[in-house]
Amino acid sequence: MTEAVDVDRALKSKHRVMWGLGNYPAVATEVIPELGPVVAAAGGVRAGDRVLDIAAGSGNVAIPAAALGAQVVATDLTPELFDAGRKMAADADVELEWREADAEDLPFEDGEFDVVLSCVGVMFAPHHQRAADELVRVCKEGGRIAVLSWTPTGFIGEMFKAMKPYAPAPPPGSQPPPLWGEESHVRELFGDRVRDLTARREVLQVSRFRDPEDFRDFFKENYGPTIAVYRNIAGDDAKVEALDRDLVDLARKYSAGGDSSAGGDSPGMDWEYLLVTGVRSTS
C-alpha cells in the first residue's frame, strides 16, 4: 500500500510540474476563452449557487461563474496558475476562492456544492474513475454537473496521438485524457449516480494562429504537455524535427483557410469537444 501511495504522489507531482510549464493562462485566454462561459451556462449556474470548478487552471470557468453571482471555489493541482487567475478575477471585478486540490481526492464534504463544473480539466486526472467518483460525491443530490472534454477524434485528441511516440510511457493504470470525450466512457464513469445525462459534440473555432507553424511554436512555448514531450526528446535532433513536422502537418490538416502568413484573416481550426451535463441522482 505504501509503495502504491508513493507512486501516486510521484505521478501527481509530475502532473503539477507539467501544468506549471510554459504559460497555460495564455492558452486559456488567447485560444479557448469561449469555453468557460459555455460550461457555466451548461451547468445552469445562478446567483447564490455554491459552485466547484475542478482542475480550474487560471479560472476559465470559475470566473464566468462568479460573474453570474455564484459562490465559486476554483481548485487545481497546480496552484502556480492561481496568480494569473486572481489577476483576471480582479480585472473582472469578481471574487472567488482558490484552493489547491487533487481532483481524485477533493478536500470537501459530500454534497457540498450545488453545481460542479470542469472545462478540459478533470479529463487530465490520470485515474478516471477516481476523479468521476469525487466529482459526483461533492455534488449535492439534485445538483447540476457540467463537464467539457476534448474528444479522441478531434484536434486535441489527434495532437496527443501525434505526441505519443515521443512521450515517455504512461504510468500503469493511468488513462488517456481524451477518453472523457467519449460519451460511453463518461456514462460508465457516472453510472446511475447522474440522471438526465446529455452529451453533445460541439466545435470550437480557433483562429488565434497565423499558420500551422505559429500553432506549433505557441504550443511548444506555452502548453505544458507539449513542452514536457519536447523535453523528453531534447538532444535528439531527428525526433525534435519529426515532431515539429507532425504538429505542423496536423494543424494544416485542421486549418480551413490554409496559410495566411501573407495577410488576411487567420486560418481557422475546428476543435471538437464533448459537453456532458446531468443531475446528481437522489439516493
Side-chain angles (χ1 to χ4, degrees):
M1 178 64 72
T2 301
E3 181 179 354
V5 170
D6 289 343
V7 169
D8 191 60
R9 285 177 178 167
L11 175 58
K12 299 302 173 57
S13 177
K14 183 177 179 180
H15 272 233
R16 173 175 173 169
V17 169
M18 179 184 71
W19 288 107
L21 298 173
N23 185 0
Y24 185 76
V27 178
T29 58
E30 297 180 30
V31 184
I32 61 170
E34 299 94 334
L35 295 185
V38 166
V39 176
V45 175
R46 301 185 294 257
D49 281 340
R50 183 158 169 77
V51 175
L52 177 65
D53 182 6
I54 300 175
S58 52
N60 196 28
V61 180
I63 293 171
L68 293 170
Q71 301 172 17
V72 180
V73 181
T75 66
D76 202 278
L77 189 65
T78 306
E80 291 83 356
L81 300 173
F82 293 166
D83 286 344
R86 290 188 181 100
K87 183 180 185 305
M88 287 186 281
D91 290 344
D93 196 26
V94 298
E95 295 184 1
L96 60 150
E97 180 182 352
W98 302 86
R99 292 275 302 270
E100 179 180 353
D102 180 353
E104 298 178 6
D105 186 18
L106 294 169
F108 304 110
E109 299 296 325
D110 295 356
E112 189 169 334
F113 295 92
D114 300 299
V115 186
V116 179
L117 309 172
S118 189
C119 179
V120 295
V122 73
M123 65 180 290
F124 289 100
H127 307 105
H128 294 187
Q129 192 62 63
R130 286 189 214 169
D133 291 348
E134 283 293 274
L135 187 157
V136 173
R137 179 184 67 79
V138 300
C139 187
K140 75 174 186 180
E141 293 184 354
R144 304 177 301 282
I145 291 168
V147 179
L148 188 152
S149 308
W150 302 120
T151 66
T153 54
F155 178 79
I156 296 296
E158 292 287 346
M159 185 187 75
F160 275 94
K161 289 178 187 175
M163 295 193 301
K164 184 176 180 180
Y166 308 95
S174 63
Q175 295 173 280
L179 273 179
W180 272 89
E182 287 283 3
E183 178 180 349
S184 59
H185 182 66
V186 180
R187 286 187 180 276
E188 182 177 351
L189 292 174
F190 288 158
D192 60 5
R193 298 172 300 172
V194 177
R195 61 177 173 81
D196 302 333
L197 190 146
T198 65
R200 68 176 190 267
R201 289 176 180 260
E202 301 285 354
V203 169
L204 173 68
Q205 294 184 328
V206 176
S207 57
R208 161 62 178 76
F209 307 109
R210 296 186 305 274
D211 51 46
E213 288 79 10
D214 186 34
F215 157 77
R216 177 200 61 205
D217 294 343
F218 182 89
F219 266 57
K220 283 178 69 171
E221 181 178 353
N222 295 291
Y223 191 59
T226 305
I227 296 170
V229 171
Y230 272 99
R231 287 190 176 187
N232 186 59
I233 58 175
D236 190 327
D237 292 343
K239 286 186 177 180
V240 170
E241 291 175 5
L243 181 53
D244 278 348
R245 287 194 303 270
D246 290 347
L247 292 180
V248 167
D249 289 346
L250 179 65
R252 184 170 291 115
K253 172 185 172 183
Y254 277 83
S255 293
D259 189 331
S260 66
S261 57
D265 295 335
S266 298
M269 289 193 286
D270 290 343
W271 293 10
E272 185 184 63
Y273 61 84
L274 184 76
L275 180 60
V276 174
T277 60
V279 175
R280 175 71 163 94
S281 298
T282 56
S283 299

